[in-house]
Amino acid sequence: MRRTQLIGTFLTAGLIAVLSVFGFLVIRETQQSSRQNKVNAPVVRNTDPQQGPSDAKVTIIEFGDFSCDACRSAQPALMAALAQVTEPTVRLVWKDFPLDSIHPYARLRAVAARCAGAQGKFWEMHDLLFGNNLASSTEQLTSLAALLDLDQAIFRTCLTLPATEKLVTDALQEGQKAGVDGTPFFFLNGKAIANIPTQQEWVTLIQSKAQ
């Protein structure tokens, strides 16, 4: 009798444990679905710096900060992967996400890249900024603009325009709505990438999305 009661007790405890785990998984799935429903996936806008055809099979959106070491480290693998993949074509889109609280000059550097973009040299300035983390003043950024043969007077004026900074702020706010919580943060065809891919991982991801 005692043995039967003991077995019954174990079975009851096991059933309760299984139901508890199942209930936890259901609650967690519901919470995750709820969070996903609140996320607005980023879209490509005409004001976003981009390279590659608009009808590309694969679109990579990067939310980045020009003062972020991880962003700087992530660029070579991404660019090498883009150079390695010849088919399909890929569109790369940049969206500013300056981490103002820890990178006090990130916003100005983002504005500088936008101003270079206004003269057709965004990606060239993108590369210079990631290659020179010390450029943080108007004078230093204008010196970088000079290396790109930009009109320095127009560039300096652009740095002070509220409309230019608004482009940066709009991208930042879009990232916040999309759940971006750090940089770099990538979306591949509208889906967030959990990690920072290596060159080969990028190639694999791009090729998988093209099929």
Side-chain angles (χ1 to χ4, degrees), residues 64 76 110 157:
T157 299

mmCIF file of all heavy atoms in Angstrom, residues 64 76 110 157:
data_model
loop_
_atom_site.group_PDB
_atom_site.id
_atom_site.type_symbol
_atom_site.label_atom_id
_atom_site.label_comp_id
_atom_site.label_asym_id
_atom_site.label_seq_id
_atom_site.Cartn_x
_atom_site.Cartn_y
_atom_site.Cartn_z
ATOM 1 N N GLY A 64 24.404 51.526 -37.012
ATOM 2 C CA GLY A 64 25.773 51.635 -36.514
ATOM 3 C C GLY A 64 26.103 52.977 -35.907
ATOM 4 O O GLY A 64 25.358 53.954 -36.028
ATOM 5 N N PRO A 76 35.204 45.009 -41.868
ATOM 6 C CA PRO A 76 36.001 44.231 -42.835
ATOM 7 C C PRO A 76 35.325 42.934 -43.270
ATOM 8 O O PRO A 76 35.337 42.601 -44.463
ATOM 9 C CB PRO A 76 37.306 43.961 -42.075
ATOM 10 C CG PRO A 76 37.411 45.095 -41.109
ATOM 11 C CD PRO A 76 36.006 45.362 -40.665
ATOM 12 N N ALA A 110 28.262 61.178 -37.129
ATOM 13 C CA ALA A 110 27.187 60.700 -38.001
ATOM 14 C C ALA A 110 26.720 61.823 -38.924
ATOM 15 O O ALA A 110 26.466 61.601 -40.125
ATOM 16 C CB ALA A 110 26.030 60.176 -37.158
ATOM 17 N N THR A 157 28.851 74.203 -43.348
ATOM 18 C CA THR A 157 27.478 74.682 -43.176
ATOM 19 C C THR A 157 26.541 73.516 -42.901
ATOM 20 O O THR A 157 25.663 73.589 -42.034
ATOM 21 C CB THR A 157 27.010 75.439 -44.435
ATOM 22 O OG1 THR A 157 27.857 76.568 -44.647
ATOM 23 C CG2 THR A 157 25.573 75.905 -44.289
#
